[in-house]
Amino acid sequence: MKIKVLDEILIRHNEIDKNKQSIWCIHAFADSGLAYKEIFSSNLASNFNIYVADLPGFGMSPLNSSYLSIKEHSNFLSKIILKENKKQKKVNIVAHSLGGLIGTWVCQQLKDQINYYFNIEGNLTEADSYFSSKPLRYGTAEEFAKMFEEEIFEKAKKKEAYRRYYSSLRFAEPDGMQNWGFSSQEHIKNDKCGFEFKKLTCKKVYIWGNIDTPKETQEFIKEHNLTNRFYKEVGHWHMIENPETLYNDMNEILKTV
C-alpha cells in the first residue's frame, strides 16, 4: 500500500498501472479509508488500481470549506476520479453505509465510465440512518462528537469492527460529521436514496448481512427486486468482518463484466 495526496485528501493506493481498470472505495459516516485496509492484500489488488480516499474532514484529510455537504463530496470525488482516470478506463465503485449515497451519485455523474457498483450496506431506507441522523439531536457538533465517541467506545470493547471504526472516529472532524448528518437527511426521507440506487443503469449489487441490516431495508430489497448478495452472520462492516470472502467474490464478479 502506498499513500498520496490529491486535492488535499489522503488516498491509499497500490502500484498504479494505467492500463488497468480502477476501484474507488468510499467510506462511511465518521469512518476513514482504514475500513478497506484488507483490500490491499486481496486478489483485487493484483488486477485493479485500488484507490481508498479519506474524504474531507475524515481520517487524515482536512475539512474543505468549498465542499461541505455530502452531495458536494460526491461532486468533489467525481472530479478527482476523472482527473486520475486520464486513459478513460472503466471505473468500479465500492461504497459503504452512508457513503453509499456518494457512491450512487458518483455513478450518476460518471455514467458510461462506470463498470460496476458494489453498495455495501448502503442507505436504502430511512431506517439505515441509525448513526448519521444522531447529530440532529444535539445543539453543537462538539456535543454530538463527545456523545458518539463514548457510545462507540463501549461497542468497541466487544467487537473488532467497532474498534477499527473507533480509531477512525477519533480523527473525524465534528463539523464534518455534522455536515454529513444534516445534509444527508433530505436524501434519506421517503427512502429517496433507495430509489436513486434502484434507478442506476450501471451494473450493480447491494451487499448485506442479517445482523445489522434493518428489517425495513430487507423488505425494500425484496419488494424492489434489487440485485443483491447476502452474507449470513455478517454485520455492518463486511470489509472487516468478512474480507477474504467479500473481496474474492468481488473479484469473481468483475471477471464476468
Side-chain angles (χ1 to χ4, degrees), residues 115-130:
N115 181 55
Y116 209 96
Y117 177 28
F118 297 92
N119 189 338
I120 304 173
E121 301 258 342
N123 288 59
L124 296 179
T125 70
E126 291 186 45
D128 290 313
S129 62
Y130 46 84

Side-chain angles (χ1 to χ4, degrees), residues 16-34:
I16 301 301
D17 180 346
K18 296 297 185 180
N19 294 310
K20 294 180 179 179
Q21 288 186 13
S22 62
I23 296 176
W24 287 78
C25 300
I26 303 169
H27 64 71
F29 172 79
D31 212 339
S32 78
L34 287 176

Side-chain angles (χ1 to χ4, degrees), residues 5 7-10 54-65 67-68 73 76 171 173 176:
V5 176
D7 291 354
E8 298 187 352
I9 65 169
L10 182 139
D54 286 354
L55 290 170
F58 301 99
M60 298 306 294
S61 298
L63 278 172
N64 186 324
S65 60
Y67 301 92
L68 294 176
H73 277 203
F76 176 70
F171 287 95
E173 294 281 354

Side-chain angles (χ1 to χ4, degrees), residues 102-238:
I102 297 175
T104 294
W105 295 327
V106 168
C107 289
Q108 290 174 351
Q109 291 159 9
L110 300 189
K111 297 179 181 178
D112 293 340
Q113 282 188 253
I114 298 296
N115 181 55
Y116 209 96
Y117 177 28
F118 297 92
N119 189 338
I120 304 173
E121 301 258 342
N123 288 59
L124 296 179
T125 70
E126 291 186 45
D128 290 313
S129 62
Y130 46 84
F131 279 171
S132 55
S133 63
K134 288 189 175 186
L136 280 68
R137 307 174 195 171
Y138 294 84
T140 68
E142 288 71 23
E143 287 175 345
F144 160 72
K146 182 177 184 298
M147 176 286 305
F148 195 52
E149 182 180 325
E150 291 172 354
E151 177 184 346
I152 299 304
F153 181 78
E154 290 302 314
K155 293 179 182 294
K157 292 178 181 179
K158 302 175 182 178
K159 195 171 183 180
E160 170 58 31
Y162 277 103
R163 286 192 281 276
R164 181 89 61 92
Y165 185 53
Y166 181 78
S167 67
S168 294
L169 170 60
R170 292 282 287 131
F171 287 95
E173 294 281 354
D175 286 342
M177 291 189 284
Q178 186 180 64
N179 290 341
W180 273 34
F182 275 80
S183 65
S184 63
Q185 295 309 302
E186 65 177 294
H187 306 289
I188 290 167
K189 294 297 183 186
N190 301 314
D191 305 339
K192 179 183 176 182
C193 47
F195 288 107
E196 284 194 285
F197 175 72
K198 178 183 177 181
K199 290 177 183 177
L200 287 177
T201 57
C202 62
K203 294 182 178 66
K204 61 185 185 291
V205 64
Y206 188 83
I207 295 169
W208 63 287
N210 59 308
I211 293 180
D212 293 319
T213 302
K215 292 188 182 302
E216 296 92 331
T217 299
Q218 296 183 37
E219 291 168 0
F220 188 96
I221 294 168
K222 184 176 181 180
E223 179 183 350
H224 295 281
N225 196 30
L226 298 183
T227 301
N228 70 94
R229 182 159 292 211
F230 167 71
Y231 294 95
K232 188 176 181 180
E233 301 304 321
V234 177
H236 191 59
W237 283 271
H238 293 244

